[in-house]
């Protein structure tokens, strides 16, 4: 193998095809002819002695070798970005770009508020935030498309470093005038008589609720189901029934006084943790390290109770 084939232009063209799934679309984004992209892909495959894509009718999908090379190429890009940021820091500049991926519950309030607070001190730092499922976040960190993952976790993940971990127990979310709103603590068995607003069956929160109900032989039926935490909490706020969520995701709503978050005694409802995740072994850019420290402190500060006294 000729290692020079892994030069910047070849990898840049290769990664664009991975991202778009199409030589012609990649060429359009790179502002070059499709033949130039095809030549670079063919050159890499020839020098490495293996195909990197499955050619399909609707585009190109990286095979196992292609996935390995894509992960390598993204790590190289991360290293370049980190070094560039460190050089800027040496010159006394506060610049950088932090890419965050988060679950939906934290993306609506907590993460944007943490970014806004951070930029009051470091206005030169830019951020991008993508929202995806809890299951996708570790892979987004591994493949280099995100610097930081903000998520909930029940178990450890391969190749993932946990930068901060804060308990994130599930609470029962009720309208402030609900008959049970003044309780200091409750159990699921006390709630199933009321209409329940539950997340979709593939969510880890729903799975926790189902496991707890199964263990206790409780019949748990949803009156309202949604993939959106905002929709579920909105249903509870309107007096429709009981929703379930962590306090950190709805901190502002709780302070408005229209809903309350009541602790649950059930074991499974107290086994979740808020986590800030990064790629194990990666040297993070200075901007990302500073934001990790900031959002971890915000999570710890916000973890105190704001529900019923």
């Amino acid at each position: 193998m000729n290692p020079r084939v892994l030069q910047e232009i070849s990898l840049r063209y290769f990664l664009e095809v991975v991202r778009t799934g199409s030589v012609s679309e990649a060429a359009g984004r790179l502002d070059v002819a499709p033949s130039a992209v095809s030549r670079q892909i063919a050159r890499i495959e020839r020098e490495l002695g293996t195909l990197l894509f499955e050619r399909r009718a609707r585009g190109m999908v990286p095979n196992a070798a292609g996935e390995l090379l894509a992960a390598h190429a993204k790590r190289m890009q991360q290293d370049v970005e980190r070094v560039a940021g460190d050089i800027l820091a040496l010159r006394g500049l506060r610049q950088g770009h932090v890419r965050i991926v988060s679950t939906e519950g934290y993306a609506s309030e907590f993460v944007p508020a943490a970014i806004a607070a951070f930029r009051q001190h470091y206005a030169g730092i830019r951020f991008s935030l993508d929202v995806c499922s809890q299951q996708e976040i570790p892979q987004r960190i591994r493949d280099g498309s995100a610097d930081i993952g903000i998520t909930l976790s029940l178990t450890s993940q391969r190749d993932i470093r946990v930068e901060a971990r804060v308990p994130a127990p599930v609470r029962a979310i009720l309208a402030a005038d609900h008959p049970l709103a003044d309780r200091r603590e409750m159990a699921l068995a006390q709630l199933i008589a009321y209409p329940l607003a539950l997340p979709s069956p593939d969510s880890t929160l729903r799975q926790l609720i189902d496991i707890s109900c199964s263990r206790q032989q409780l019949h748990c039926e949803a009156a309202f189901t949604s993939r959106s935490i905002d929709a579920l909490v909105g249903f509870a706020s309107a007096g429709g029934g009981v929703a379930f969520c962590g306090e950190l995701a709805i901190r502002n709503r709780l302070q408005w006084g229209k809903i309350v978050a009541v602790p649950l005694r059930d074991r499974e409802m107290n086994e979740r943790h808020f986590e800030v995740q990064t790629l194990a072994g990666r040297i993070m850019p200075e901007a990302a390290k500073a934001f990790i420290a900031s959002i971890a402190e915000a999570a710890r500060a916000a973890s105190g109770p704001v529900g019923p006294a």
Side-chain angles (χ1 to χ4, degrees):
M1 183 188 81
N2 181 1
R4 286 182 300 175
V5 71
L6 301 181
Q7 57 184 300
E8 181 184 1
I9 188 169
S10 297
L11 288 182
R12 192 156 57 92
Y13 286 19
F14 164 76
L15 277 179
E16 202 59 51
V17 176
V18 171
R19 292 188 184 103
T20 61
S22 163
V23 167
S24 58
E25 188 172 344
R29 293 192 179 190
L30 293 164
D31 197 24
V32 298
S35 59
V37 177
S38 295
R39 280 197 302 271
Q40 290 295 338
I41 299 300
R43 177 169 177 257
I44 296 176
E45 291 181 327
R46 184 174 61 254
E47 293 290 345
L48 294 179
T50 184
L51 295 176
L52 298 172
F53 292 94
E54 295 178 13
R55 273 75 172 178
R56 299 179 180 176
R58 295 187 177 181
M60 299 173 67
V61 178
N63 58 20
E67 293 283 3
L68 283 173
L69 181 58
H72 163 76
K74 288 173 181 177
R75 285 195 295 270
M76 288 182 61
Q77 286 187 340
Q78 289 175 341
D79 287 342
V80 170
E81 292 169 1
R82 176 183 60 79
V83 171
D86 289 348
I87 291 173
L88 289 171
L90 288 173
R91 295 167 54 192
L93 301 176
R94 297 288 186 179
Q95 297 186 21
H97 180 207
V98 180
R99 300 166 302 168
I100 303 171
V101 61
S102 170
T103 52
E104 185 251 351
Y106 294 127
S108 59
E109 289 186 13
F110 178 68
V111 174
I115 292 172
F118 184 82
R119 293 192 76 256
Q120 290 180 3
H121 302 283
Y122 304 101
I125 307 300
R126 297 174 294 112
F127 290 85
S128 59
L129 172 62
D130 286 337
V131 180
C132 67
S133 71
Q134 183 177 334
Q135 293 83 355
E136 291 178 274
I137 286 180
Q139 185 54 44
R140 295 285 297 274
I141 296 172
R142 291 189 195 103
D143 69 20
S145 58
D147 302 308
I148 300 169
I150 307 296
T151 185
L152 288 159
S153 181
L154 301 172
T155 60
S156 60
Q157 294 282 342
R158 177 180 56 85
D159 298 331
I160 297 298
R161 173 183 170 85
V162 177
E163 302 282 356
R165 195 167 192 256
V166 177
V170 179
R171 304 303 197 199
I173 309 302
L174 311 166
D177 58 357
H178 191 280
L180 300 178
D182 60 349
R183 301 293 180 91
R184 295 178 62 87
E185 189 180 54
M186 287 186 297
L188 283 173
Q190 297 172 269
L191 297 171
I192 58 174
Y194 296 89
L196 301 180
L198 300 178
S200 55
D202 60 345
S203 76
T204 55
L205 174 54
R206 177 64 177 273
Q207 290 163 14
L208 279 178
I209 294 170
D210 289 345
I211 289 169
S212 191
C213 287
S214 176
R215 179 178 61 82
Q216 301 176 69
Q217 297 184 331
L218 301 175
H219 178 64
C220 181
E221 184 175 344
F224 175 53
T225 304
S226 176
R227 292 181 179 274
S228 169
I229 291 295
D230 281 345
L232 297 173
V233 174
F235 178 81
S237 177
V242 182
F244 299 90
C245 185
E247 290 186 14
L248 191 58
I250 54 169
R251 193 76 178 178
N252 288 341
R253 288 197 186 194
L254 290 170
Q255 292 173 345
W256 297 341
K258 293 184 177 181
I259 56 173
V260 297
V262 182
L264 293 167
R265 292 193 295 268
D266 309 83
R267 182 179 69 239
E268 292 84 357
M269 300 298 99
N270 292 279
E271 294 179 346
R272 301 191 315 169
H273 286 81
F274 165 88
E275 287 189 355
V276 180
Q277 299 178 346
T278 62
L279 183 64
R282 181 187 172 193
I283 301 174
M284 299 298 292
E286 291 300 317
K289 287 196 290 187
F291 181 71
I292 288 168
S294 176
I295 198 169
E297 180 58 32
R300 286 189 285 266
S303 62
V306 293

